Every structure is written in structure tokens, then in C-alpha cells.
Amino acid sequence: MTVVLVVVIVLLLALLSAGTVVTVRRRFPAPGAPPRAPVPPPEPGARPGAEIIRPPEPEAAGPEAAEPGAPAPREEAAEARPPRLRDRLGRARDLFGSSLVGIRTRGRVDEAAFEDLEEALLLADVGLPTAGRLLDALRAQVRAGEVADSPDALLEALREDAAALFAGEDRSLSRAPEGTTVWLFVGVNGVGKTTTIGKLAASEARDGRRVVLAAGDTFRAAAGEQLELWAERSGAGIVRGAEGADPSSVIFDAVQHAAARGADLVLADTAGRLHTKVNLMDELRKVRRIADRPPGHVSEVLLVLDATTGQNGLVQARQFAEAVDVTGIVLTKLDGTAKGGIVLAIRAELGLPIKLVGLGEGAADLVAFDPEDFVSALFE
């Protein structure tokens, strides 16, 4: 026993002489240490396993944060201004404008002029029913002497008739008078639902509203990660579920979380439903019902359509409108290869207001639709 003690003492003396410090980790706080922050309780109404991701708390900044001699922090970039609709319709304007050149060079309005005009409308993706409606109205005006016998007068009358399609529609985004406002986004895969939600969240946050995103597209790979990235950019909260989870339960948890946190708005993503699959449309109806349960109130069901799909977008719109009572259209990719005429067809054949249009990839490139600006740009 004595030999063991001697060996231990010799080893300790050797360690001390070499300058080594032995640190003991405490299992309990040291005397005088501040108490640990308590673990927050779960959100009221949230199911076990729901992943609630809150926006990061802003870090305190002050003069003492900068080191002596360090460069001054850069000022934040000026907030990007929303683009003008006419400035992003370059291809649609060029396509439609070139089709009207032959009409403008005619000396008078005759049946050949109407044939050229019909061809121009169809090439612009207006569609046969809407083109026929517009041209029938023009012929009646010409016969009644309401339109002068000149191509310019004919095109001006057409512009006025196209603008009149949008008269009286409500393009505002409505909010619940009480409870938690829920905006539900539906549409097929690839139309830009998730990106639209992210851009709208950024816009709402800039206006001072507290937003919660519901990652209800639990079947598409990386959909939750994409929405989480937008949440970080906009400072919104986000509620996610496990991959393949029931979308209805995720959106229900998001509404409960928003109500508990006093948030103003829930933007709910949904899976890209194929409008030809009856069972999937039935599931979408279920999502709509559950999202509307108190304290949630679904005040908008926004159908996201890709403007480049043309007339196929009308088929999608009809099916979704029957399933979930669509309140408005978000038309994406209008700045790309879209021909533009689909805007007239949607309004004329479906009677649904186009509330927002996507004009680019930036956060500020989702803007309110201005029909007068749109029609004027096409006919310039």
C-alpha cells in the first residue's frame, strides 16, 4: 500500500513540474454560476414529433461590438424595387407585336384583317373560345359604325375590350376577420408553389407581419429544405413534418403554432397534385377542410399556374377549382417563354382573378397583377 502511494505522489509531482493542468468537469453548476435556462414547453395543440423551427432572434449590435481599427460595417443594400410588368414582358410583347404588323399596314378593315387578327390572338395563346368572343364583339362594333374603318382604330377597340375582361374583379388578398389567416397554395408539380410562398413571405414580413410557413409538401424531395431556406431569408417561422407525413397534420400543427405565437398569417404549401388523379384531389379537399378548422380560417386558396404551359393551364384550373374552391390565380414565369395570351383566356373562360404574377427569380419579382398595365404593354 505504501509503495502505491509513493508511485502516485511521484506521478503527480512529474505532471506539475511539466506544467500540465488537470481539469475536472462538474456534473452540477459551480457555486455562484447562473442557473440554466429552462426548457420551453411544447406548443399548445402541437402533436408530438412536429418540428417547429422558429426564426433566429436578432443579435444585439452596438458600438462596442466592433474591434478597434476594424472597418465600418457595410450598409444594407437598398431594398429591391418590384419590377414593372411591362418591362418583363419582352418576349410576349415582341411576339404579339410582330403578329400585328401586317394588320397595321392594311388600308382598311375587312375580313382579311379579322383573319390576321385571329391568327395573332391564337399565336399569343389566347385560345379559340376567347379569341372568338373578342372578334365577334369587334365585328359587331364595326357593323354598328362604332369603330372607324382603320386598322389602328380596330386594334384600339380590341385593347379596350381585352381590358374590359378584368373590370370589376377583386384582386386583393383577403384576410380572416378573426382567428388565424391561412392562405393555401395548390397546383401541379413544377409550377413554382414553394418559390411563390417564399417570395410572398418576404413581402409580408417587409410589411411588418408575422408569418408561419407550413411545409405541407411532404412527398417531394427537398421541398421542406427549400421552404426552410425561404423562411430563413424572410425571418418567418416554419413547421415541418417527417418525409411522407400526412400534409393535413403538418398544416394543422402550423395553424396551432401560429395561433400560440400570435402570428398574423400561415402560408401553407401542398404537394403537387396531378389534376387527373381523383384520389389525390380528394386528399386535397381534406387538406382544405383541416386547414379551415379553428383557430385557422382559410381566406385564400391560390392556384399556382405556370404561364408557359398555355392552354393546359386552363384544364388544371378547372379541376382544382372544382376540388377546393379556388379564390385566385398566381401566374408564374410570365417573364420567360410565356406568350401572354393565357392571361386573357384565364379571365374570360374561368372568371377567376389573377392576383399575383411571377416576373423573375428574385424575392421582389412577385408582384400584384395590373391588367391595365398588362394589356397596354401587349398592344404597344
Side-chain angles (χ1 to χ4, degrees), residues 94-130:
D94 292 343
L95 178 64
F96 192 58
S98 62
S99 300
L100 298 179
V101 170
I103 301 173
R104 295 183 189 277
T105 57
R106 288 183 175 276
R108 59 188 300 270
V109 176
D110 53 16
E111 188 57 32
F114 277 102
E115 292 176 359
D116 289 346
L117 193 52
E118 181 180 31
E119 182 180 358
L121 291 173
L122 294 178
L123 288 175
D125 218 0
V126 172
L128 189 58
T130 304

Side-chain angles (χ1 to χ4, degrees), residues 3-377:
V3 175
V4 174
L5 290 174
V6 171
V7 172
V8 171
I9 292 172
V10 170
L11 290 175
L12 288 174
L13 290 174
L15 289 172
L16 290 174
S17 64
T20 304
V21 179
V22 179
T23 302
V24 179
R25 297 186 179 274
R26 297 178 178 270
R27 295 175 58 106
F28 302 97
R36 294 181 178 178
V39 177
E43 295 289 345
R47 298 175 303 104
E51 183 180 3
I52 299 174
I53 304 172
R54 296 183 176 87
E57 296 293 337
E59 296 181 359
E64 68 280 0
E67 297 182 1
R74 292 182 301 173
E75 295 183 1
E76 294 185 2
E79 183 177 312
R81 292 183 179 180
R84 295 178 63 204
L85 183 57
R86 65 175 59 226
D87 294 338
R88 298 292 178 90
L89 291 177
R91 186 180 186 280
R93 293 169 64 183
D94 292 343
L95 178 64
F96 192 58
S98 62
S99 300
L100 298 179
V101 170
I103 301 173
R104 295 183 189 277
T105 57
R106 288 183 175 276
R108 59 188 300 270
V109 176
D110 53 16
E111 188 57 32
F114 277 102
E115 292 176 359
D116 289 346
L117 193 52
E118 181 180 31
E119 182 180 358
L121 291 173
L122 294 178
L123 288 175
D125 218 0
V126 172
L128 189 58
T130 304
R133 172 181 172 181
L134 291 171
L135 293 177
D136 288 345
L138 276 181
R139 285 190 175 93
Q141 294 176 59
V142 170
R143 287 195 298 267
E146 299 173 0
V147 177
D149 187 12
S150 74
D152 287 340
L154 183 68
L155 293 178
E156 177 58 24
L158 176 61
R159 189 198 69 79
E160 293 176 357
D161 289 348
L165 293 174
F166 303 94
E169 67 178 5
D170 182 8
R171 294 184 298 276
S172 63
L173 293 169
S174 62
R175 303 175 191 274
E178 58 183 15
T180 302
T181 298
V182 181
W183 293 348
L184 196 64
F185 293 78
V186 300
V188 301
N189 284 325
V191 294
K193 292 191 306 300
T194 306
T195 301
T196 295
I197 291 172
K199 293 177 181 178
L200 192 55
S203 175
E204 291 291 314
R206 285 194 300 268
D207 290 339
R209 298 185 181 92
R210 301 182 65 184
V211 182
V212 172
L213 308 184
D217 188 352
T218 59
F219 301 109
R220 182 172 67 86
E225 288 78 4
Q226 183 183 0
L227 201 62
E228 187 175 337
L229 179 60
W230 278 107
E232 292 175 0
R233 292 176 180 175
S234 62
I238 179 172
V239 175
R240 294 181 56 186
E243 184 176 351
D246 181 7
S248 301
S249 65
V250 175
I251 294 174
F252 176 81
D253 288 339
V255 173
Q256 297 295 322
H257 170 67
R261 301 281 293 181
D264 303 294
L265 178 65
V266 173
L267 303 180
D269 197 4
T270 62
R273 304 301 179 190
L274 295 175
H275 59 283
T276 55
K277 302 296 184 181
V278 176
N279 59 325
L280 294 181
M281 297 303 285
D282 288 341
E283 185 178 342
L284 194 57
R285 294 186 184 95
K286 172 188 172 184
V287 170
R288 170 71 167 80
R289 290 194 304 270
I290 291 180
D292 209 20
R293 290 179 179 175
H297 178 80
V298 178
S299 61
E300 292 284 355
V301 180
L302 299 172
L303 173 60
V304 184
L305 294 177
D306 182 343
T308 63
T309 61
Q311 294 298 304
N312 187 48
L314 293 176
V315 179
Q316 298 174 19
R318 290 190 182 95
Q319 297 292 333
F320 279 99
E322 293 175 1
V324 288
D325 191 20
V326 173
T327 60
I329 302 292
V330 179
L331 200 59
T332 63
K333 309 177 188 178
L334 194 57
D335 61 315
T337 59
K339 299 176 182 179
I342 187 63
V343 173
L344 303 179
I346 289 173
R347 180 57 187 166
E349 298 184 37
L350 301 177
L352 292 171
I354 299 175
K355 299 196 172 187
L356 299 168
V357 290
L359 301 175
E361 298 298 327
D365 291 337
L366 183 72
V367 301
F369 176 63
D370 185 340
E372 184 63 33
D373 194 22
F374 172 79
V375 174
S376 297

